[in-house]
């Protein structure tokens, strides 16, 4: 067994020397790990890949709205939409990458077209005559057409193609043709679009999110909690859990793979980032094995709170959010787990940040977590967190 010790250092933020070193050799950059979902980290990812090609993105696969819901209902599968979006954010968008694949993967079928027109467009992609497919290099074109054909061959009668993402259809075709091995499919498509990082679902399971509100109301379905497709929740969330399905809302326990747990333990930094607090961040921590792996990781662990409005954090202060992260990790790691094994720092910009949550910093410190108050917002992007500044801050902490 290789001996190991904990080594602590004084971090300078920003650490210009460290940042320059990462920028010179991003293929050797640090393994920053993010628990997330959705599009909140798109700008940060596009900045991160300048410095490291080794960031890890564990993404919730519980989306129950939009075109992802249509695919999940038809095939009884995990959601692939957020996985596709994260791969697109991390893809090499330069001439060295594969811009034709990138454009095809990002394409959506029209929302207003007739069923016949939508079917014809998809058939032209399978046949290789569609302009987006014709632009793809021949060797890759064969892979694209094969996976789209795999989808079409299994597409049920009456399937709604409106607003369908071509990338989602390709991922679904690959999933169905490869014994539902999502890791193999992500590996293939990551190579196609030259993803500068690693993307994986937190768990490969067809389950749903459910919340109990303070009012006692029970809500099943991620899309019913975010306030994006439907009205915002009328009462604060008291409890979040994973359930079998809409028809069977009984709690289920799912466990992350050994590979996911290893990625968490081997991280150079773990980030609980901005984004929908419950459905993107806390949802990842509901999976068994995740919380324990977090506590076993010997690296800085950082929470970056939302600026602006997050409907899921109704009635919550910053201290409430920190406490919920600690509580959820402890469900897996043990209720006596010290806070400093779960979370080290909360990053805020109290001077320029526009926080809807009360910044009860004294309570955060009472919970055993330090607060680092620094510049995160710049004039050009006010009142949002500046992606370049955040990336360099996180990199400086590694």
């Amino acid at each position: 067994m290789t001996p190991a010790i904990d080594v602590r250092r004084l971090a300078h933020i920003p650490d210009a020397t460290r940042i320059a070193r990462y920028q010179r050799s991003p293929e050797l950059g640090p393994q920053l790990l993010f628990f997330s979902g959705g599009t909140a980290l798109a700008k940060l990812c596009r900045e991160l890949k300048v410095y490291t090609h080794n960031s890890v993105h564990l993404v919730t696969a519980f989306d129950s709205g939009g075109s992802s819901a249509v695919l999940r209902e038809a095939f009884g599968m995990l959601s692939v939409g957020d996985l596709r979006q994260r791969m697109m954010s991390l893809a090499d968008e330069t001439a060295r990458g594969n811009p034709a694949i990138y454009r095809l993967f990002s394409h959506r079928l029209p929302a207003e077209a007739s069923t016949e027109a939508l079917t014809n467009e998809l058939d032209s992609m399978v046949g290789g005559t569609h302009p987006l497919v014709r632009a793809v290099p021949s060797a890759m074109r064969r892979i694209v057409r094969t996976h789209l054909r795999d989808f079409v061959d299994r597409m049920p009668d009456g399937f709604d193609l409106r607003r369908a993402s071509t990338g989602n259809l390709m991922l679904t075709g690959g999933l169905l043709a490869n014994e539902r091995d999502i890791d193999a499919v992500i590996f293939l498509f990551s190579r196609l679009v030259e993803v500068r990082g690693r993307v994986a679902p937190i768990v490969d399971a067809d389950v749903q999110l459910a919340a109990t509100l303070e009012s006692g109301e029970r809500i099943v379905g991620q899309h019913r909690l975010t306030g994006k497709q439907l009205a915002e929740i009328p009462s604060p969330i008291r409890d979040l859990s994973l359930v079998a399905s809409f028809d069977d809302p009984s709690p289920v326990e799912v466990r992350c793979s050994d590979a996911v747990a290893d990625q968490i333990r081997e991280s150079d930094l773990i980030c609980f980032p901005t984004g929908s607090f419950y459905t993107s961040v806390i949802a990842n921590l509901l999976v068994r094995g995740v919380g324990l792996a977090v506590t076993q990781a010997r690296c800085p662990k950082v929470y970056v709170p939302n600026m602006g409005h997050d409907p899921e954090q109704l009635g919550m202060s910053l201290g409430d959010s920190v406490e919920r992260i600690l509580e959820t990790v402890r469900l897996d790691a043990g209720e006596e787990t010290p806070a400093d094994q779960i979370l080290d720092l909360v990053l805020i910009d109290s001077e320029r940040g526009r926080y809807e949550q009360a910044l009860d910093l004294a309570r955060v410190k009472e919970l055993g977590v330090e607060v680092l108050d620094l510049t995160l917002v710049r004039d050009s992007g006010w009142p949002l967190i500046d992606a370049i500044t955040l990336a360099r801050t996180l990199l400086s902490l590694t």
Side-chain angles (χ1 to χ4, degrees), residues 287-310:
V287 175
R288 298 289 290 178
V290 170
L292 180 59
V294 167
T295 65
Q296 292 171 337
R298 296 295 179 255
C299 67
K301 298 153 192 177
V302 179
Y303 171 43
V304 185
N306 287 314
M307 292 184 186
H309 182 58
D310 177 12

Side-chain angles (χ1 to χ4, degrees), residues 153-172:
D153 288 346
R154 294 165 173 81
M155 184 173 67
D157 292 339
F159 185 86
D160 187 0
L161 287 169
R162 290 174 299 176
R163 290 285 298 160
S165 158
T166 306
N168 286 359
L169 301 185
M170 291 165 62
L171 287 169
T172 302

Side-chain angles (χ1 to χ4, degrees), residues 18-251:
R18 187 173 295 264
I19 290 168
R21 183 168 70 246
Y22 293 152
Q23 192 167 14
R24 283 195 302 270
S25 302
E27 69 279 3
L28 301 177
Q31 181 170 308
L32 282 69
L33 182 139
F34 298 87
F35 291 113
S36 63
T39 59
L41 297 190
K43 290 183 178 180
L44 176 63
C45 289
R46 289 190 167 94
E47 184 61 30
L48 270 178
K49 61 192 178 186
V50 174
Y51 304 98
T52 179
H53 296 169
N54 299 309
S55 62
V56 175
H57 302 259
L58 299 179
V59 179
T60 58
F62 313 130
D63 190 356
S64 57
S67 60
S68 291
V70 178
L71 288 167
R72 295 192 69 185
E73 184 177 354
F75 298 106
M77 55 184 275
L78 79 171
S79 172
V80 295
D82 288 343
L83 295 168
R84 174 189 59 80
Q85 290 182 16
R86 188 54 50 85
M87 284 191 281
M88 292 298 93
S89 298
L90 290 165
D92 185 344
E93 299 174 62
T94 69
R96 293 179 302 173
N98 296 311
I101 288 280
Y102 182 93
R103 288 191 292 271
L104 176 63
F105 217 59
S106 303
H107 178 67
R108 282 189 181 273
L109 299 180
E112 306 299 331
S114 67
T115 300
E116 181 180 6
L118 292 168
T119 302
N120 288 341
E121 180 172 357
L122 187 55
D123 286 343
S124 72
M125 291 182 175
V126 173
T129 60
H130 193 285
L132 287 175
V133 176
R134 284 206 314 269
V136 174
S138 58
M140 297 180 184
R141 191 185 313 140
R142 188 175 297 110
I143 297 172
V144 165
R145 292 175 60 197
T146 296
H147 286 295
L148 283 173
R149 185 181 296 111
D150 288 332
F151 173 79
V152 170
D153 288 346
R154 294 165 173 81
M155 184 173 67
D157 292 339
F159 185 86
D160 187 0
L161 287 169
R162 290 174 299 176
R163 290 285 298 160
S165 158
T166 306
N168 286 359
L169 301 185
M170 291 165 62
L171 287 169
T172 302
L175 187 70
L176 298 173
N178 288 278
E179 300 179 344
R180 297 185 178 244
D181 186 344
I182 187 63
D183 293 331
V185 175
I186 290 174
F187 177 79
L188 171 63
F189 284 97
S190 292
R191 295 294 296 272
L192 286 178
V193 297
E194 297 286 351
V195 170
R196 300 311 191 194
R198 283 170 279 174
V199 180
I202 190 67
V203 68
D204 180 5
D206 178 24
V207 295
Q208 300 289 348
L209 281 174
T212 302
L213 306 186
E214 291 289 354
S215 64
E217 181 182 358
R218 181 78 164 163
I219 298 177
V220 179
Q222 176 263 2
H223 71 289
R224 296 172 177 165
L225 298 171
T226 62
K228 296 174 182 176
Q229 296 183 36
L230 300 173
E232 296 182 6
I233 54 175
S235 175
I237 293 175
R238 185 174 70 206
D239 178 68
L240 190 73
S241 62
L242 297 172
V243 300
S245 67
F246 288 109
D247 297 328
D248 178 15
S250 55

Side-chain angles (χ1 to χ4, degrees), residues 242-295:
L242 297 172
V243 300
S245 67
F246 288 109
D247 297 328
D248 178 15
S250 55
V252 294
E253 182 177 293
V254 293
R255 178 170 290 275
C256 71
S257 67
D258 291 342
V260 165
D262 287 343
Q263 287 181 325
I264 297 170
R265 283 191 290 263
E266 295 165 2
S267 298
D268 295 310
L269 180 140
I270 291 173
C271 184
F272 306 94
T274 58
S276 298
F277 180 73
Y278 278 100
T279 61
S280 289
V281 179
I282 295 298
N284 281 295
L285 307 180
L286 298 176
V287 175
R288 298 289 290 178
V290 170
L292 180 59
V294 167
T295 65

